[in-house]
Amino acid sequence: MLTVISMTLAFPLAIFVALGRRSNMPAIKTLCTLYVELVRGVPLITVLFMASFMLPLFMPEGVKIDVLLRVVVGITLFSAAYMAEVIRGGLQALPKGQTEAAATLGLTYWQTQRMIVLPQALATVVPSIMNTFIGLFKDTTLVSFVGLLDPLRGVTTVVRADINWKGIYWEPLLFVGAIFFIFCFAMSRYSMYLERKLKTDHR
């Protein structure tokens, strides 16, 4: 759930950040660059701790934000920075003639990006986007450090709570590992399907 919600929110933000890093406006380019470099310079666990424990200290008196919402915001901002670099790589891979041809047709900047540049760039970086998705899916287990439950913490808590499971740890851990493997393998297969459908490997 955390992965799907965060990636859904991060995707449009990553597109705007990637376009901002390629902007001719110095202020926007600098702001987007600082955001990406700042977020990529810290691990996800640091972002989660700041969202869970530091953010409430800056809120007005009596204002409380649910910890789940804070975690979703933190993961969204973190994944958007990484995905923005992936998308920027796809944008840079396109020939400059694409935008020049659009300009000769009289298309505006946003029309060019929406109808010509972004469809080709996103199709090129499908494997990298899916790789980011899979990495974030596995990293969501870190939310256990900020008080939220995840499958890994859930099974270990159950094992420790039941005397019948005393000394038996590897079975539930293997079960959780199998769950993660099945999901990640399914996502990798879907990525290959999208590659074949979009024929990115032939471009």
Side-chain angles (χ1 to χ4, degrees):
M1 182 191 69
L2 286 174
T3 306
V4 172
I5 294 176
S6 299
M7 291 295 285
T8 302
L9 297 175
F11 189 71
L13 177 60
I15 292 177
F16 284 111
V17 172
L19 293 175
R21 291 205 64 181
R22 291 170 52 85
S23 175
N24 294 325
M25 301 180 183
I28 295 179
K29 185 175 182 178
T30 302
L31 184 63
C32 293
T33 302
L34 286 176
Y35 163 69
V36 171
E37 297 302 329
L38 179 63
V39 174
R40 292 175 68 206
V42 295
L44 177 58
I45 188 66
T46 304
V47 176
L48 294 178
F49 269 111
M50 291 184 64
S52 300
F53 302 115
M54 297 295 293
L55 184 60
L57 299 178
F58 297 96
M59 300 301 295
E61 187 68 25
V63 177
K64 293 184 179 180
I65 303 178
D66 186 74
V67 63
L68 180 60
L69 178 60
R70 283 178 273 153
V71 167
V72 169
V73 172
I75 297 177
T76 299
L77 295 176
F78 183 84
S79 56
Y82 280 85
M83 197 183 303
E85 287 297 277
V86 171
I87 296 175
R88 187 170 70 94
L91 294 173
Q92 291 180 336
L94 291 181
K96 191 177 180 180
Q98 297 280 341
T99 55
E100 293 175 349
T104 60
L105 294 176
L107 297 180
T108 64
Y109 173 81
W110 289 111
Q111 287 177 329
T112 302
Q113 300 299 324
R114 180 172 56 88
M115 295 187 293
I116 298 176
V117 176
L118 285 176
Q120 297 182 70
L122 295 178
T124 304
V125 296
V126 164
S128 299
I129 292 177
M130 188 59 66
N131 184 58
T132 304
F133 191 91
I134 293 174
L136 182 63
F137 176 75
K138 293 183 291 184
D139 287 343
T140 50
T141 54
L142 295 174
V143 299
S144 61
F145 291 100
V146 294
L148 295 179
L149 284 176
D150 72 291
L152 189 59
R153 183 183 178 190
V155 296
T156 54
T157 302
V158 172
V159 166
R160 293 171 182 171
D162 193 343
I163 190 65
N164 295 321
W165 286 83
K166 185 178 180 180
I168 302 176
Y169 293 99
W170 62 272
E171 290 96 336
L173 293 178
L174 283 178
F175 177 73
V176 174
I179 292 177
F180 275 93
F181 175 79
I182 291 173
F183 275 92
C184 293
F185 183 78
M187 286 186 284
S188 66
R189 295 293 99 181
Y190 182 68
S191 174
M192 296 178 64
Y193 163 76
L194 287 180
E195 286 185 68
R196 291 192 298 267
K197 184 177 181 180
L198 298 173
K199 297 181 180 180
T200 58
D201 53 338
H202 297 297
R203 293 183 180 180

